[in-house]
Amino acid sequence: MNKHILIIGSGFSSLSASCYLAKAGYKVSILEKNKTIGGRARQLKREGFTFDIGPTWYWMPDVFERFFSDFNKKPSDYYSLEKLNPAYSVYFGKNDFITIEDTLEKIKTAFENEETGSSKKLDTFIKKAKSNYDIAIKDLVYNPGVSPLELVTPKTMTKLNQFFSTIKKDVRREFKNERLVKILEFPVLFLGAKPSDTPSFYSFMNYADFGLGTFHPKKGMYQVILAMEQLAKELGVTIKTENPIDKIIVDNGKAVGIITKETTYKSDIIVSGADYHHTETLLDQPYRQYTEAYWSKKTFAPSSLLFYVGFDKKLINVNHHTLFFDVDFDIHAEAIYDNPKWPENPLFYASFPSKTDDSTAPEGKEAGIFLIPLAPGLEDTPELRESYFNKIIDRFENVTSQNIKKHVIFKESFCINDFVKDYNSYKGNAYGMANTLTQTAFLRPKLKSKKVKGLYFTGQLTVPGPGVPPSLISGKLVADLILKHHTL
């Protein structure tokens, strides 16, 4: 009889791991605490509107293609992709914005219009970023973070200096125009740290942005979750929702089962795609690898205040993805990373999927998602949420020259308390642990428990790190590690 693997959680990394392990011949069951699968990538439907609750950016399409090709499938077998043009726009003030289009040539033109000579500098910068991308995404990130030697290859040795400089230094060395600097520094925010704390090597995110482009799956990012669910079920995976975990059972130093609200499940191996810190609290103290002091010293990616808004009219002067950088980025970053507090004047991001996709809003109406990055662990009250909604909508109306407040049909919010309640997220963080130099690769929490045999972890608090493509990769890495250490 094949060994039974229990997987905690049903986000991208868990679904990915389940597919690889089922394909290898294991009996695989997923236990999900919420009513629907997807982890942070769930969906909200209301009054004919559809919102992605979590991720809204589809970057690095090659990672998705590689995942599905491992099962002789293609993304197009499950969902249709559209390359966005424009990819996004960035507001710097009233009616003052830069639009990032769908090819590098068009983006170079936009740069040249801002700063003479910057198109040539951008060309050189993106060539280096592509070189980093080819090393990182095709090679490095598919290592399990077991040893420092994983980072030592003939290719990475030529890039060594890039691990000791930062994105901020590199960008500002070449570009003087503050608006262009902000655009080039923006992608690393997906890695959960300030540009001044992010190694230069991570410029591969700029290639993901300008070189590969931004895509939208028809009907939203949740279609990727549904695709992975379908694939998992085709491979024989069982998924059980509304099954919160109370305890991981350890016998003689080995993980042997899980106690949920409903029942006790026996297993040969356990993989947790749930929050790493929370998962360790499901173990008796002697079996936990990392102390509270360890977690408290780590740099976590931001949390977020999100609003899902239905408008009774179409909005103007915005694109599918629109960034609002009309306030000081450094002051907001300080409120996230250095002196955690609610920012006085926050940057924010807005997504209007109905600009591209008619399925996300009724005809003549607009679906809007607004996101403010926040420090994890802050106080979160209905009054604070309401005050920040009014704050960003007032600015939105001013910089885009339109009135929208009176056109709100409904709004729902999601913030720190919800990240804790729905995902057991450490301090309510949204994106996991930041990819700083001291939290890269083998320096991140391990995929394999050092204290409990047969217990593994996957997702954005372990390797490779935050984001949807890294989560897909994390599922493969943990599956490969299990196949290496266990026989069927």
Side-chain angles (χ1 to χ4, degrees), residues 28-55:
V28 181
S29 303
I30 290 175
L31 302 176
E32 166 58 52
K33 78 182 282 282
N34 293 311
K35 287 183 180 177
T36 56
I37 67 161
R40 284 165 164 77
R42 293 179 301 152
Q43 198 175 52
L44 168 65
K45 293 193 172 206
R46 179 168 167 182
E47 298 177 37
F49 292 84
T50 301
F51 305 89
D52 283 312
I53 290 178

Side-chain angles (χ1 to χ4, degrees), residues 285-329:
Q285 193 78 43
Y287 298 119
R288 299 176 191 175
Q289 307 168 90
Y290 304 107
T291 63
E292 289 299 321
Y294 169 89
W295 294 110
S296 68
K297 288 174 186 167
K298 293 298 169 188
T299 302
F300 273 80
S303 186
S304 300
L305 169 56
L306 291 132
F307 295 100
Y308 311 100
V309 188
F311 295 100
D312 67 7
K313 68 166 188 174
K314 301 301 283 184
L315 305 191
I316 59 170
N317 300 332
V318 288
N319 290 311
H320 184 129
H321 296 299
T322 309
L323 301 162
F324 292 82
F325 285 3
D326 54 314
V327 297
D328 192 304
F329 170 80

Side-chain angles (χ1 to χ4, degrees), residues 72-301:
N72 296 316
K73 302 283 187 181
K74 304 186 294 294
S76 59
D77 293 333
Y78 299 97
Y79 55 87
S80 60
L81 273 183
E82 178 179 347
K83 189 173 188 183
L84 296 182
N85 187 30
Y88 55 90
S89 55
V90 185
Y91 269 95
F92 297 97
K94 188 176 177 66
N95 303 324
D96 177 16
F97 58 88
I98 294 176
T99 298
I100 300 301
E101 294 188 75
D102 62 339
T103 69
L104 184 56
E105 287 307 309
K106 293 176 189 173
I107 297 166
K108 280 159 60 177
T109 300
F111 269 55
E112 193 65 26
N113 290 339
E114 282 292 316
E115 182 183 325
T116 304
S118 63
S119 60
K120 284 185 179 175
K121 289 179 180 178
L122 181 63
D123 200 50
T124 303
F125 185 82
I126 295 299
K127 278 177 181 160
K128 187 189 284 187
K130 181 184 186 303
S131 169
N132 289 353
Y133 189 91
D134 288 342
I135 294 169
I137 303 303
K138 294 173 184 173
D139 188 8
L140 282 189
V141 295
Y142 285 90
N143 285 315
V146 172
S147 162
L149 296 177
E150 292 170 2
L151 297 177
V152 182
T153 71
K155 288 180 181 176
T156 57
M157 292 313 289
T158 66
K159 306 277 185 180
L160 206 55
N161 64 318
Q162 292 192 47
F163 286 95
F164 299 99
S165 184
T166 68
I167 292 288
K168 183 170 185 171
K169 283 180 186 171
D170 283 12
V171 168
R172 289 170 187 270
R173 189 183 300 122
E174 298 299 330
F175 300 90
K176 305 308 173 198
N177 182 297
E178 270 299 315
R179 293 143 63 94
L180 300 185
V181 164
K182 284 181 179 177
I183 290 171
L184 286 167
E185 289 181 347
F186 145 69
V188 303
L189 298 179
F190 285 111
L191 301 170
K194 291 190 295 186
S196 58
D197 291 333
T198 303
S200 302
F201 184 72
Y202 284 102
S203 69
F204 65 73
M205 294 294 289
N206 293 106
Y207 176 70
D209 181 2
F210 289 178
L212 296 175
T214 304
F215 295 77
H216 172 73
K218 180 76 173 165
K219 298 185 181 176
M221 285 292 287
Y222 198 64
Q223 296 307 303
V224 187
I225 289 289
L226 295 178
M228 295 177 76
E229 177 193 31
Q230 186 180 333
L231 175 60
K233 288 182 172 176
E234 288 167 3
L235 292 162
V237 175
T238 303
I239 301 174
K240 298 177 181 179
T241 54
E242 296 182 90
N243 248 303
I245 313 299
D246 284 342
K247 189 175 178 66
I248 295 172
I249 308 167
V250 179
D251 184 20
N252 268 340
K254 185 181 184 311
V256 294
I258 284 173
I259 300 172
T260 73
K261 294 274 187 277
E262 302 293 323
T263 186
T264 297
Y265 297 90
K266 294 290 172 66
S267 68
D268 298 292
I269 296 164
I270 293 170
V271 178
S272 179
D275 179 274
Y276 204 124
H277 168 269
H278 169 73
T279 303
E280 291 226 307
T281 68
L282 302 174
L283 294 161
D284 290 335
Q285 193 78 43
Y287 298 119
R288 299 176 191 175
Q289 307 168 90
Y290 304 107
T291 63
E292 289 299 321
Y294 169 89
W295 294 110
S296 68
K297 288 174 186 167
K298 293 298 169 188
T299 302
F300 273 80

